[in-house]
Amino acid sequence: MQKRTGLLSLILLSVFAMLLIAGCGNSESDNNPNLGKWVATEAKMKGLTISAKSVLGKEEMSFELKKGGKCVASVEGKQKTIDFTIKDNVLNLKGSGLDINGKFINGRLVFEDMMDNKGLTIVFDRDGQPPAAQKKQ
């Protein structure tokens, strides 16, 4: 009976340790300096760059990256909460039929080829900060 109890304790301890390790798996996203709100500022296609505002009008396209791997996506006045991960400066947004990757490049969030091989690139900048390309270095 003592062997059984000892074995059960060892198994429970092992399961608890695995749960602790698994619970730490999202720490890269939770502590990432890229958390916050990102707003579309530019759209690029076939060598032409225009402001996102001229395309979207009054509506805003944004992603707010929050702790816990949750993202509030706002497009055309509608909001959805989806999941995200960040690994090696690559952001993956997944949920509600969306599965896209963007890259953090020089202080900007860049989604290339957003329209399935039509060459549309959308650039996002942190809300409340000037576009990284306009900052003085």
Side-chain angles (χ1 to χ4, degrees):
M1 187 72 173
Q2 277 187 332
K3 285 184 179 182
R4 214 176 200 180
T5 306
L7 182 60
L8 183 59
S9 296
L10 183 61
I11 291 171
L12 287 175
L13 184 62
S14 298
V15 169
F16 182 71
M18 288 188 318
L19 288 174
L20 280 176
I21 292 168
C24 296
N26 206 20
S27 63
E28 184 176 354
S29 293
D30 284 351
N31 297 321
N32 196 294
N34 294 311
L35 294 180
K37 187 174 181 182
W38 294 84
V39 180
T41 54
E42 292 179 5
K44 301 177 183 183
M45 189 173 200
K46 297 183 181 179
L48 179 67
T49 301
I50 57 175
S51 74
K53 201 170 225 173
S54 66
V55 175
L56 299 169
K58 294 179 184 178
E59 299 299 331
E60 178 181 87
M61 180 177 187
S62 66
F63 297 111
E64 185 172 2
L65 306 177
K66 298 183 173 201
K67 286 186 176 184
K70 295 297 178 189
C71 170
V72 177
S74 300
V75 181
E76 297 178 345
K78 297 176 185 164
Q79 291 187 338
K80 293 270 186 189
T81 299
I82 57 176
D83 296 322
F84 81 90
T85 57
I86 299 173
K87 186 172 181 175
D88 299 326
N89 279 334
V90 175
L91 170 71
N92 175 261
L93 298 173
K94 197 172 199 170
S96 295
L98 185 70
D99 188 2
I100 58 173
N101 291 317
K103 295 178 185 174
F104 293 101
I105 302 171
N106 298 323
R108 303 183 101 184
L109 176 55
V110 180
F111 289 92
E112 296 177 336
D113 202 19
M114 284 192 72
M115 291 179 58
D116 295 326
N117 299 318
K118 293 202 174 36
L120 175 65
T121 296
I122 299 182
V123 179
F124 291 75
D125 287 296
R126 226 180 250 286
D127 190 34
Q129 294 184 4
Q134 296 176 4
K135 291 181 185 175
K136 292 182 180 179
Q137 299 199 11

